[in-house]
Amino acid sequence: MTRPDPSVEAGGLATAATCPYCGSDDTDREHPKGPSLCRSIYYCHGCDQPFELFR
Amino acid sequence: MAEPTPDTEGPTLCPHTEYAPGEPHPELPLTGASAIGLEAEVWEALRAVEDPEMPVSIVDLGLIYGVDVGGGTARIDLTLTYSGCPARDFILQEVAWRIEQVDGIDEVDVNLVWYPPWTVTNVTDAGREALERFGLSVST
């Protein structure tokens, strides 16, 4: 097992996010940066889907 | 010669960056809703420009900080969501190209500005809806 990607911790505070698919607030930020700089990658425990937060 | 010190502490936050979300700016976003005549046509041209990373107008993303039309010249002040935005050239070129098509505009001056810093509070309600339709959650 390699060490975790250090950038995971480098993006400042995680903001609360609502899942755009099921509306659940039971979500976690998985990475501060997504496919573009203004998006973060989140995971929804309500519907078990990843999604992105525009920030 | 001294051995280099191994990095054991891991990543640290940049001391020069404020990570807390910003406050909404009282005069932003500008949407050109009260513009008339040629200026309204310039706003309409701006509305047609979308961020290449999401199908939302740059007007609804709150990137436009000023439109000044006079004597056949349009001067646009606009910002980007991040200074390192990879869509930068694409957006700037499309803004210039779209506004050049407006009848009565001979010269376009696209001015990239970084103040006030863009935050997600600049996104209009229509922009928020479009982002959500695209499948992106929008931070509140």
Side-chain angles (χ1 to χ4, degrees):
Chain A
M1 179 83 181
T2 53
R3 69 191 172 93
D5 177 356
S7 64
V8 168
E9 303 298 326
L13 304 170
T15 45
T18 304
C19 174
Y21 308 123
C22 73
S24 170
D25 291 323
D26 184 14
T27 60
D28 282 328
R29 186 175 76 172
E30 296 205 315
H31 200 285
K33 299 296 176 194
S36 71
L37 290 172
C38 44
R39 299 190 209 169
S40 299
I41 298 177
Y42 277 72
Y43 189 83
C44 173
H45 298 288
C47 60
D48 286 330
Q49 295 296 319
F51 68 93
E52 291 164 22
L53 175 79
F54 183 78
R55 53 192 287 278
Chain B
M1 209 162 92
E3 286 292 310
T5 316
D7 175 14
T8 52
E9 289 182 3
T12 52
L13 299 181
C14 169
H16 307 291
T17 303
E18 192 185 331
Y19 289 102
E23 289 294 309
H25 192 274
E27 287 162 30
L28 296 172
L30 300 179
T31 58
S34 58
I36 50 165
L38 195 53
E39 198 178 312
E41 285 177 48
V42 168
W43 273 103
E44 208 180 302
L46 285 171
R47 282 209 162 269
V49 182
E50 289 182 348
D51 187 317
E53 288 172 341
M54 57 205 81
V56 181
S57 161
I58 59 168
V59 175
D60 282 326
L61 289 176
L63 301 185
I64 308 298
Y65 280 4
V67 170
D68 190 27
V69 178
T73 301
R75 181 194 158 99
I76 313 298
D77 290 339
L78 64 87
T79 193
L80 298 171
T81 57
Y82 283 84
S83 56
C85 180
R88 175 189 183 132
D89 287 354
F90 186 101
I91 291 175
L92 296 184
Q93 282 172 23
E94 193 178 348
V95 164
W97 181 79
R98 293 266 181 197
I99 293 174
E100 276 164 17
Q101 314 299 309
V102 175
D103 247 359
I105 299 292
D106 308 314
E107 215 181 302
V108 185
D109 180 10
V110 182
N111 187 32
L112 187 57
V113 297
W114 299 107
Y115 189 83
W118 181 92
T119 72
V120 79
T121 59
N122 277 10
V123 178
T124 65
D125 289 343
R128 197 167 274 268
E129 214 172 279
L131 285 166
E132 281 168 2
R133 217 165 28 231
F134 181 54
L136 285 179
S137 184
V138 185
S139 65
T140 42

